Amino acid sequence: MIYLHLSPGFEPYGPSVPFKAFTFNGGEPHLKLSGPLPETSVLITTRLNTFQDVGLLLVATDALRRAGAERISLFVPYFPGARQDRVMVPGEPLTVKIYADLLNAQQYHQITVFDPHSDVTPALLNKVQVVDNHRFVEQCLAQVGDCKLIAPDGGALKKIYKLSEALGGMEVVECSKRRDVKTGDLSGFLVSGPDLQGASCVIVDDICDGGGTFVGLADELKKHGAGDLYLMVSHGIFSRGLEPLATSFKRVFTTDSIREITHPLLNQVSFSSFLPHLSNQ
Ligand SMILES: O=P(O)(O)OC[C@H]1O[C@@H](O)[C@H](O)[C@@H]1O
């Protein structure tokens, strides 16, 4: 097995394929392998945040096949469009299916995704392997100590109970989002379950985008007497930066599935530490 790392930061574990990638002045992605392939089995690792990233992946896949690769697998920790996994109102696209169809057409030997937003992503992909968040959360919890797991909404419950079981039965606090009946906008949270007085709490979710969900939930947990608050999200988009989270959370944990970030509030776990476990796929 050899690697082709399309995104910086997913450090090679074992031999990797040298290549040069660039974008033509007109905006088209291009890539050239720097020599013959030493092996026919290749694992491509990549971040896919934009259609441009997908374009580079497709040209890389084609270049590998033309160079003799027979078994190409893909590791794409953050699956793009995964939140647009249903058409809520007429006129919307089903974005996750567009990406899934494009990748399925490449006939990868296996596609590995990390903690996808919902079951729709793996359902749409052929030959998919899902890496759950258990190892990531366990690694982060070692730095936090005794705490309760917070499920931010009903959709997160199934996953968080599996996580709790994997971690030896950690206590789960169930929360649910309250929405304005007219606009559907988030208006607050309901927190139910054990006494939180002075307890350290860890909110676990798949994605932090703007962070509004978690700041709102943190406020509610504080009203219930919670102690130190931590946030663990598999995919850190942080579209408003980390600052809005700084007053609510003692520490934020994420992976480098979206990009590499350095911030005093943040602990970032690199996928380079997970890649060894994928090398036999
Ligand atoms: O409040 P922000 O960070 O924008 O959004 C994060 C929430 O939006 C959902 O898709 C995620 O699963 C998470 O619950």
Side-chain angles (χ1 to χ4, degrees):
M1 164 79 75
I2 46 174
Y3 291 93
L4 189 134
H5 296 287
L6 285 179
S7 303
F10 292 177
E11 271 75 35
Y13 180 84
S16 59
V17 181
F19 66 91
K20 282 201 173 70
F22 63 93
T23 305
F24 285 113
N25 292 340
E28 293 155 76
H30 188 64
L31 174 143
K32 185 176 180 302
L33 304 177
S34 306
L37 278 184
E39 274 196 52
T40 56
S41 192
V42 185
L43 173 63
I44 303 177
T45 72
T46 187
R47 296 189 180 96
L48 289 187
N49 298 336
T50 64
F51 274 111
Q52 192 71 4
D53 295 335
V54 177
L56 183 63
L57 171 64
L58 299 186
V59 297
T61 304
D62 188 71
L64 285 171
R65 287 222 198 276
R66 288 173 195 283
E70 286 165 7
R71 198 171 94 160
I72 306 178
S73 299
L74 178 64
F75 175 58
V76 48
Y78 173 72
F79 199 83
R83 285 178 289 176
Q84 188 61 36
D85 60 358
R86 57 200 154 141
V87 175
M88 299 278 281
V89 289
E92 282 186 342
L94 187 56
T95 314
V96 67
K97 187 168 185 306
I98 302 170
Y99 285 105
D101 287 349
L102 277 170
L103 297 197
N104 283 335
Q106 306 312 305
Q107 303 196 333
Y108 292 113
H109 174 71
Q110 184 158 60
I111 300 176
T112 303
V113 296
F114 174 62
D115 194 12
H117 179 68
S118 71
D119 291 340
V120 177
T121 297
L124 289 172
L125 287 170
N126 300 334
K127 301 188 181 171
V128 66
Q129 171 184 251
V130 174
V131 178
D132 61 38
N133 62 355
H134 299 183
R135 183 190 294 268
F136 159 63
V137 174
E138 189 177 25
Q139 212 167 312
C140 301
L141 282 174
Q143 299 169 56
V144 168
D146 192 33
C147 60
K148 297 183 196 303
L149 289 177
I150 309 293
D153 54 38
L157 281 180
K158 198 170 128 194
K159 271 205 289 200
I160 211 139
Y161 276 108
K162 270 193 184 168
L163 173 67
S164 157
E165 199 184 323
L167 297 174
M170 282 180 70
E171 200 166 15
V172 172
V173 179
E174 296 184 12
C175 302
S176 52
K177 286 174 180 160
R178 274 193 313 214
R179 295 201 177 272
D180 184 290
V181 277
K182 281 188 187 149
T183 62
D185 291 343
L186 185 63
S187 62
F189 287 89
L190 288 171
V191 177
S192 59
D195 180 23
L196 294 183
Q197 205 58 45
S200 293
C201 296
V202 178
I203 301 175
V204 179
D205 209 347
D206 60 329
I207 298 171
C208 178
D209 194 330
T213 305
F214 306 113
V215 171
L217 179 54
D219 288 347
E220 195 59 37
L221 293 170
K222 285 282 181 196
K223 281 185 202 159
H224 282 71
D228 289 336
L229 299 181
Y230 300 88
L231 177 64
M232 292 180 190
V233 283
S234 301
H235 310 288
I237 296 176
F238 304 127
S239 54
R240 292 188 191 163
L242 270 297
E243 281 65 33
L245 300 167
T247 47
S248 308
F249 294 99
K250 190 167 179 191
R251 212 123 199 96
V252 174
F253 297 82
T254 193
T255 71
D256 56 355
S257 64
I258 303 285
R259 61 196 162 102
E260 293 178 295
I261 317 167
T262 307
H263 190 280
L265 185 66
L266 190 70
N267 279 36
Q268 196 170 40
V269 176
S270 172
F271 273 100
S272 54
S273 64
F274 292 143
L275 286 177
H277 306 282
L278 300 171
S279 55
N280 295 326
Q281 304 308 318

